Amino acid sequence: EDDQLRERISEIKQEIEAKLSTKRQELEDLRKDFREVSEDSERNRIDNQIDTAKKELKQLTKDTLDDLLPEVFAIVKDTCRRMVGQEFMVKGHPTAWNMVPFDVQLIGGMALHDGKIAEMATGEGKTLVATLPLFLNALVGRGAHLVTVNDYLASRDAEWMSPIFNFHGMRVGCITTGMDFESRRDAYAADVTYGMNSE
């Protein structure tokens, strides 16, 4: 049964890729043309086409993810439910998973995905809520980033929430102050990257 969930996520990734591939290729072709042309008026014309194609790709991505949001959020919720009672190491301490998003938290995730602010008090589950839009946007394959206020929260939340992503074969990275270039590059290459605002 776990494999059915994982399989559906793989199918969703393929569906997203299929919907976006033509527009991505068009954009790549325009960028190639731009690099090869030297005449200013032609470069300006192609540059305008690139801007239009970028906007169209952004809108197509949003529309595609919006359509998939209910199913993907349900899969994340079900993933959380399946992990209840399992223990994971968080900051060197064994921690039992006991979180399944409530409806109000799903709504918070929808607001975040839509680019809105979701105000939540301490203990209302901001860390869990953030996994919903992170997971959905990570399916595009371009990396999804969560920005928080300090290194401790970035590393704690990355460790604490990583079981949700790991369950589906996604990799979680974390950017902290003073990381060397290789580690930083590796963290940015992950499906989901946690880090603080100054990093």
Side-chain angles (χ1 to χ4, degrees):
E1 212 178 276
D2 285 359
D3 287 341
Q4 286 178 314
L5 269 192
R6 293 183 180 110
E7 209 172 284
R8 182 59 192 134
I9 288 298
S10 294
E11 288 169 6
I12 288 171
K13 284 181 180 177
Q14 290 167 4
E15 288 169 22
I16 292 170
E17 180 57 36
K19 281 192 176 179
L20 302 182
S21 61
T22 305
K23 189 53 72 177
R24 281 179 175 167
Q25 189 57 55
E26 180 189 322
L27 188 55
E28 198 48 52
D29 292 345
L30 284 167
R31 286 178 171 144
K32 185 173 175 273
D33 292 347
F34 183 81
R35 288 190 297 271
E36 292 171 358
V37 170
S38 56
E39 188 190 326
D40 282 349
S41 63
E42 185 63 8
R43 284 176 72 88
N44 284 341
R45 187 185 67 76
I46 294 171
D47 195 37
N48 288 336
Q49 287 180 315
I50 288 171
D51 283 347
T52 302
K54 277 183 185 172
K55 285 176 189 156
E56 289 170 354
L57 177 60
K58 186 177 180 179
Q59 188 60 52
L60 180 61
T61 303
K62 185 184 179 340
D63 292 345
T64 302
L65 292 182
D66 286 353
D67 290 346
L68 291 165
L69 184 146
E71 183 181 5
V72 171
F73 277 27
I75 289 171
V76 172
K77 181 173 181 169
D78 198 26
T79 301
C80 291
R81 185 183 55 74
R82 289 164 190 245
M83 294 188 314
V84 168
Q86 293 182 40
E87 274 198 354
F88 301 97
M89 292 301 283
V90 180
K91 303 303 278 177
H93 302 286
T95 306
W97 186 271
N98 62 357
M99 295 175 284
V100 179
F102 293 106
D103 290 351
V104 69
Q105 291 173 312
L106 295 173
I107 292 166
M110 290 173 203
L112 292 176
H113 171 67
D114 209 32
K116 294 181 172 65
I117 293 170
E119 185 178 354
M120 298 173 70
T122 301
E124 287 186 348
K126 289 182 285 291
T127 305
L128 181 63
V129 166
T131 64
L132 296 155
L134 275 174
F135 191 101
L136 178 62
N137 285 272
L139 296 174
V140 176
R142 296 294 170 102
H145 298 172
L146 181 130
V147 179
T148 190
V149 294
N150 62 46
D151 280 345
Y152 174 78
L153 285 177
S155 59
R156 183 204 67 181
D157 292 357
E159 273 187 54
W160 197 14
M161 297 297 115
S162 65
I164 296 171
F165 303 103
N166 296 161
F167 183 94
H168 293 282
M170 291 185 188
R171 207 165 61 77
V172 177
C174 182
I175 307 288
T176 54
T177 309
M179 279 178 94
D180 62 70
F181 178 76
E182 287 300 316
S183 305
R184 192 175 287 267
R185 186 168 65 181
D186 186 53
Y188 275 122
D191 298 289
V192 174
T193 306
Y194 285 77
M196 63 184 283
N197 46 14
S198 61
E199 293 298 319

